């Protein structure tokens, strides 16, 4: 069957709430570090940054991170499943990373939203993820698939905090006894 996007319909449509959000200025994107590795426009909204440049986790604004994921979902290319996904994460230095799913006519090579997010982490300087959320078409929290839990474990470790369908959980709760870099050391 010819997918919808080949028949003239564009990608999965955004709902009005997302359009409104996308039109607003983003909280911040990846920032360039100075010669000392400091980033001048570290976030003040999602996580606070200590004197030492570490994001502190009290009063963490999960709703702001969810809205970043919703905005990212607006870029999803999901003509085959009609299941757009957006993901957003905070890195330890305050960067916000986002991703959306990108499907393919060869169904099996679809990229989950987490793939783009992890790639953006590395493109913008690497480091560790501290907080993660992904959302579905309705903007509701979605559990990352098994493969993506492995991706997140590699880049956030056991301490990574995820917003899940059952509240905030540590990475080592959603992927217990994980295989990881330590196994290869
Ligand atoms: N998907 C993601 O992007 N992340 C996940 O963690 C779960 C699934 C995408 C892949 C595919 O494009 C669509 O959701 C339906 O499976």
């Amino acid at each position: 069957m010819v997918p919808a996007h080949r028949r003239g319909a564009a990608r999965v449509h955004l709902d009005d709430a997302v359009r409104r959000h996308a039109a607003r200025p983003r909280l911040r994107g990846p920032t360039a570090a100075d010669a000392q590795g400091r980033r001048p426009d570290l976030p003040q909204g999602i996580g606070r940054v200590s004197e030492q440049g570490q994001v502190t986790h009290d009063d963490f604004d999960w709703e702001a991170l969810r809205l970043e994921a919703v905005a990212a979902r607006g870029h999803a290319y999901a003509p085959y499943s009609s299941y757009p996904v957006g993901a957003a994460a905070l890195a330890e230095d305050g960067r916000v990373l986002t991703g959306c799913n990108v499907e393919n006519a060869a169904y099996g090579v679809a990229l989950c939203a987490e793939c783009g997010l992890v790639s953006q982490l590395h493109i913008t300087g690497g480091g560790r993820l501290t907080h993660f959320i992904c959302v579905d078409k309705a903007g509701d929290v979605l559990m990352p698939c098994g493969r993506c839990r492995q991706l997140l474990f590699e880049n956030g470790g056991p301490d990574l905090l995820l917003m899940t369908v059952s509240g905030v959980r540590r990475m080592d709760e959603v992927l217990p006894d994980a295989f990881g870099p330590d196994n290869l050391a």
Side-chain angles (χ1 to χ4, degrees), residues 60-83:
F60 185 76
D61 191 348
W62 282 105
E63 178 58 11
L65 197 61
R66 191 187 70 82
L67 289 174
E68 294 282 347
V70 168
R73 187 204 59 192
H75 298 281
Y77 176 71
Y80 304 102
S81 70
S82 296
Y83 195 86

Side-chain angles (χ1 to χ4, degrees), residues 112-137:
C112 283
E114 293 87 337
C115 299
L117 184 153
V118 164
S119 181
Q120 195 185 38
L121 172 72
H122 287 272
I123 286 170
T124 58
R128 302 285 275 180
L129 301 176
T130 61
H131 297 74
F132 172 86
I133 188 170
C134 61
V135 297
D136 64 13
K137 195 174 190 169

Side-chain angles (χ1 to χ4, degrees), residues 21 24-28 43-47 59-72 87-90 96-98 133 135 163:
H21 174 73
R24 286 167 27 201
R26 292 171 64 81
L27 292 172
R28 80 207 139 268
Q44 300 303 316
I46 288 185
D59 301 326
F60 185 76
D61 191 348
W62 282 105
E63 178 58 11
L65 197 61
R66 191 187 70 82
L67 289 174
E68 294 282 347
V70 168
L90 189 69
V96 173
L97 298 315
T98 58
I133 188 170
V135 297
M163 180 56 78

Side-chain angles (χ1 to χ4, degrees), residues 31-40 42:
T31 59
D34 66 14
Q36 286 74 45
R38 290 187 301 255
R39 293 176 187 273
L42 287 170

